[in-house]
Amino acid sequence: MTVDAGVLAHEDAELLLFGRDPAAAGREGAGLSRTGLIERANGGTLFIDEIAAADAVLTARLVSLVESRQVLPIGAATPRRLNLRIIIARLDGEGTDAAAASLRDPLWHRLGAVQIAFPPLAQ
């Protein structure tokens, strides 16, 4: 399952990624239940492209996901266990110190990040 930067920057990013429990949809009248993209990736690989587009709250939820290997859909009473591989990508701009930035990023740290630097195509 691939998640791109457009989803991470969307106002409903948490709903799209984590989903909504059917019981919560009925209680709040907030629409239908939805299986999140993370839960759909269960048993496979979740690739999150351009993680820098995610806000701090969403990043914190992703850190929790990585640590616990459980997803808690919006309105759910109990978390759901997951078995998945997580790969994240980030495009570093010119002149940024990618190594220093990644050391401060808790998500990169929790993933045990292996960095692969690709030079620009012109090189």
Side-chain angles (χ1 to χ4, degrees):
M1 180 65 62
T2 300
V3 178
D4 65 5
V7 169
L8 297 176
H10 193 273
E11 64 184 34
D12 290 332
E14 284 196 50
L15 174 63
L16 295 168
L17 289 173
F18 295 94
R20 180 180 318 147
D21 191 71
R27 273 195 317 265
E28 299 168 6
L32 301 174
S33 67
R34 164 176 270 180
T35 302
L37 297 175
I38 293 171
E39 200 168 352
R40 289 184 202 167
N42 195 21
T45 301
L46 175 67
F47 174 63
I48 303 174
D49 192 15
E50 196 48 58
I51 191 67
D55 65 15
V57 174
L58 185 57
T59 301
R61 284 202 71 188
L62 290 170
V63 168
S64 176
L65 166 76
V66 169
E67 288 178 338
S68 67
R69 293 293 183 184
Q70 297 180 19
V71 66
L72 184 64
I74 296 170
T78 58
R80 298 177 187 150
R81 203 86 186 114
L82 296 174
N83 176 22
L84 72 149
R85 179 178 330 154
I86 301 171
I87 300 172
I88 60 175
R90 177 180 68 193
L91 177 66
D92 291 312
E94 287 291 318
T96 61
D97 186 358
S102 67
L103 289 175
R104 292 188 302 265
D105 188 341
L107 186 57
W108 284 92
H109 178 70
R110 299 293 192 298
L111 284 171
V114 174
Q115 294 186 14
I116 303 172
F118 292 101
L121 291 175
Q123 294 179 1

